[in-house]
Amino acid sequence: MSLGPALSAALQVHGLQLRGGFCPSPEEAIALPNGRPAAVLWLAGNMGGSMWNAFQASSFAHDGLPHPLDRWSRHLGDALAQQFGGAALYPFDGPPAQPHYHPFQQWASRCEPLFPSPLMLRMHPQHGLWHAYRFALIFSTVDTQDRVALAENTGDALQEENPCLSCIEQPCLQACPVQAYDGQGFDVHACRAHVRQDANQVCMTGGCLARNACPVAPHLRYAPAQARFHMQAFVPDDLA
Ligand code: B12
């Protein structure tokens, strides 16, 4: 069996999807811990709240320790890497422990049709802004079937259109109470200062108003419990 379908099946058990993959070029210098270059990189993530129930059913969600979703992701990614003979890379591994973050958004753009959005998050034509990455799995070999399937998938992706280009009103840029978005960047300090003022305000209880204002894929918007979880993670405890 090719790796792609096997990984896809293994991820679905945990509410995660195989978001695609690509064969890195030597210039990208993506290597396994043993130094061998990665022949293929597969990306795993969630669409909307697809992983929320599986995460909530895990001990990580309730043990009171910091970064529960990252620890859940690492637990799954490491287990799958071991099962299939590869290595896992994580979006949250970065400074100060690592020199830089892995370029997950760039990798994602090579896996599926993604476009820049005014909120800087990547826009997916079907999933809107409601998708994120949990880990990447890299392997030192790739079988011919996977290589061909990945090349064909990239061809399809190029035919999609960016929904933001036909969105005349751009409600995402009108919705933030502190104008943290101007279409060019994200004022993280203004956002955090506002959100930490009151734990019961709507940004905290219902999620980011700018992201929620996006008309694409409204059915995938995070439910209140998940929205609150992500906003709490975004406002560090030492600022709260
Ligand atoms: C640091 C970080 C932040 C910082 C940003 C600080 C800063 N000003 O750079 C803070 C804490 C503010 C943040 C917040 C959030 N983040 Co963040 N963040 C990251 C993280 C860990 C690293 C980004 C990075 O520096 N990458 C390194 C560079 C080299 O990689 P890159 O692929 O080239 O990424 C850059 C470019 O793609 C560029 N970029 C993105 N869009 C565009 C568009 C244009 C036109 C251009 C030129 C460039 C550009 O910006 C990226 C960062 O510099 C990534 C995970 C990751 N490893 O990528 C998540 C990530 C980008 N964040 C994500 C999310 C969801 C959020 C939040 C919504 C989380 C929340 N709690 O709700 C908020 C809102 C942020 C927002 N609206 O922009 C998702 C985005 C998924 C998506 N759909 O695109 C990621 C990929 C994490 C994940 N697990 O999936 N984040």
Side-chain angles (χ1 to χ4, degrees), residues 101-186:
Y101 289 109
H102 296 297
F104 266 76
Q105 287 182 307
Q106 286 178 36
W107 291 349
S109 295
R110 300 194 55 190
C111 293
E112 52 185 0
L114 290 178
F115 301 96
S117 77
L119 302 190
M120 305 308 284
L121 301 169
R122 292 289 153 144
M123 166 61 68
H124 186 288
Q126 278 83 47
H127 315 307
L129 302 175
W130 305 103
H131 60 103
Y133 311 101
R134 297 297 152 214
F135 48 83
L137 294 170
I138 55 174
F139 298 88
S140 57
T141 58
V142 56
D143 83 4
T144 309
Q145 243 178 318
D146 279 336
R147 188 185 287 279
V148 170
L150 290 174
E152 285 172 357
N153 188 37
T154 306
D156 287 343
L158 294 174
Q159 292 166 16
E160 298 278 355
E161 283 182 14
N162 182 357
C164 297
L165 295 180
S166 53
C167 181
I168 308 300
E169 301 287 329
Q170 300 223 304
C172 59
L173 292 180
Q174 325 295 328
C176 176
V178 291
Q179 289 85 44
Y181 298 100
D182 60 5
Q184 312 291 322
F186 172 49

Side-chain angles (χ1 to χ4, degrees), residues 35-55:
R36 293 190 67 184
V40 64
L41 181 150
W42 298 98
L43 207 52
N46 59 287
M47 254 78 100
S50 65
M51 86 306 171
W52 185 247
N53 286 345
F55 166 61

